[in-house]
Amino acid sequence: MFEALHRFAAPFAVVAFLSLAPFGTTPSYGEDSASSSPAVQATGALPTTGVPEPGDYLQTIESGGMQRKYWVHLPTGFDFSRQRPLMVVIHGAFSKGSKVAEQYGFDRLADREDFIAVYPEGIGFKGKFQHWNAGFCCGKAKSDEVDDVAFLDAVIREVVGRLQVNRAKIYMVGESNGGMLTYLYAAKHAETLAGIGVVYGTIGGQGKKDPQEWRIPKPTAPLPVVAIHGRKDKRVAYDGGKNRGGGKVVSAQDSAMFWVHNNLCAKKPKKQTLWDGKVERQFWSGCTLRSEVVLYSLDGWGHNWPGAGEKRRISNSKGEVFDAPEVIWEFLVAKRRWVQIPSGMRPAQKGSTPPTLEPMKSPDSFKAVPPAPTEPEESPEPKPPQR
């Protein structure tokens, strides 16, 4: 796919590739930049025989006529005989799955909470500038119409087929361009997931050369969503509209309301002010199948990853840090995938007519999954993580 780039000298190739970057921008602190965090080191591919040991594995899979890669992190104390939740983490543009694993702390969270973490890699140039086709964005992946949704689906199927995954607890988390892809995958494959988390992502937008705005399609089912977005973000503008470098995006609020409407939630959210007034939390309840929607709006915060391991942090007077992986996991951990939507489920708000809900169709590789309980656990009210 990158044959044309290889014909030119490296400097010219990189300049040409950068010209296709998301909204004509350069990497930010939250999207690869010059991070000092070491990349994860693989111990090889998952063994084809025997039981894999805890650690990191680099897998290769064919998708769309290309050889694609993804990382697998098996938590400390991994025991093949027991099923575990699966967290698929999608890096942002110009970042890497291997860096996200270490830099943002998902591997450490996986070790502590005992889940399997997977980090797919976007397409790039000589192992750099990796990004995704999220429908309206971004770069060469979009212009070449790379089917990254199919790639993610292939990754999940392969991991589920090789490891003991709790198929009722498969989650996806994405940042920026990866958050856009997370929204797109969730809309097309809601039956696969138990919930998603998105950090400074959007459900759609319009490139500089696009004739009209594009948005993700109507989801196949209700799905719990937790989103985090900085109010000062200029890369993926919190209030929507034009971005720095060109192009337009759908606002964070409209992106959340898309899922509120899809999940048939109560129209008015419960609002809370947290972290000494630096964070606003909107929580929409009363949703079909308890598919709540949460939006965290970060005051004075731009296109930076909000985490405990970052140099710049959001903290309160008690020293508690707003750590995105912790906040997302606290919301998702109690969520379960509905294999079949029970009859008679209705939204809580008055005056609305729910659409006809058909039983969810599980992918072929998921047919053995036992039905999820008809009463999934309630999601607890979030509290600032203790440090």
Side-chain angles (χ1 to χ4, degrees), residues 239-258:
D239 292 322
K242 292 184 179 180
N243 286 274
R244 185 183 65 193
K248 299 179 181 180
V249 294
V250 176
S251 71
Q253 190 75 25
D254 286 347
S255 295
M257 290 306 298
F258 173 91

Side-chain angles (χ1 to χ4, degrees), residues 43-299:
T43 56
L46 287 169
T48 56
T49 59
V51 178
E53 298 291 331
D56 301 297
Y57 299 87
L58 181 59
Q59 298 292 109
T60 301
I61 187 173
E62 184 175 342
S63 178
M66 295 183 289
Q67 292 297 310
R68 305 291 298 269
K69 295 181 179 181
Y70 67 94
W71 297 78
V72 177
H73 177 77
L74 301 183
T76 303
F78 176 77
D79 179 358
F80 189 79
S81 65
R82 189 167 62 82
Q83 292 185 345
R84 286 170 171 78
L86 172 64
M87 177 81 79
V88 183
V89 184
I90 315 299
H91 65 73
F94 295 164
S95 187
K96 293 182 179 181
S98 55
K99 284 191 175 181
V100 169
E102 177 68 23
Q103 181 177 342
Y104 295 165
F106 281 101
D107 274 2
R108 292 187 293 276
L109 183 63
D111 289 341
R112 191 190 77 205
E113 299 295 332
D114 198 29
F115 62 80
I116 299 168
V118 170
Y119 307 93
E121 300 282 10
I123 69 160
F125 176 68
K126 293 187 175 180
K128 299 181 179 180
F129 314 117
Q130 295 174 177
H131 62 290
W132 310 96
N133 175 18
F136 76 102
C137 170
C138 294
K140 191 169 179 58
K142 173 181 177 289
S143 64
D144 284 1
E145 299 182 347
V146 176
D147 193 343
D148 280 317
V149 169
F151 168 53
L152 296 185
D153 204 43
V155 169
I156 293 174
R157 287 173 179 271
E158 184 167 271
V159 172
V160 167
R162 300 192 64 176
L163 299 172
Q164 290 282 65
V165 171
N166 183 340
R167 300 167 186 179
K169 305 195 74 173
I170 299 176
Y171 311 107
M172 186 173 288
V173 176
E175 63 152 335
S176 193
N177 180 208
M180 300 170 191
L181 179 59
T182 297
Y183 276 143
L184 178 57
Y185 181 89
K188 291 189 173 184
H189 293 287
E191 76 281 355
T192 300
L193 303 174
I196 62 171
V198 173
V199 182
Y200 41 76
T202 177
I203 62 166
Q206 185 175 358
K208 287 193 283 187
K209 296 182 179 180
D210 294 337
Q212 59 187 11
E213 182 184 86
W214 180 95
R215 294 194 180 198
I216 61 175
K218 178 178 174 56
T220 57
L223 190 69
V225 175
V226 54
I228 300 172
H229 212 126
R231 294 187 186 275
K232 295 295 184 181
D233 192 338
K234 298 186 183 301
R235 186 69 57 79
V236 182
Y238 178 89
D239 292 322
K242 292 184 179 180
N243 286 274
R244 185 183 65 193
K248 299 179 181 180
V249 294
V250 176
S251 71
Q253 190 75 25
D254 286 347
S255 295
M257 290 306 298
F258 173 91
W259 290 98
V260 169
H261 177 74
N262 177 75
N263 298 352
L264 299 174
C265 303
K267 294 181 180 179
K268 291 186 178 180
K270 177 182 178 181
K271 294 185 178 181
Q272 293 176 288
T273 301
L274 306 170
W275 275 271
D276 296 344
K278 299 174 185 177
V279 178
E280 180 189 61
R281 178 180 184 264
Q282 297 182 72
F283 178 81
W284 286 268
S285 60
C287 313
T288 299
L289 304 183
R290 299 183 181 179
S291 298
E292 297 90 353
V293 177
V294 182
L295 173 61
Y296 288 90
S297 301
L298 315 181
D299 284 349

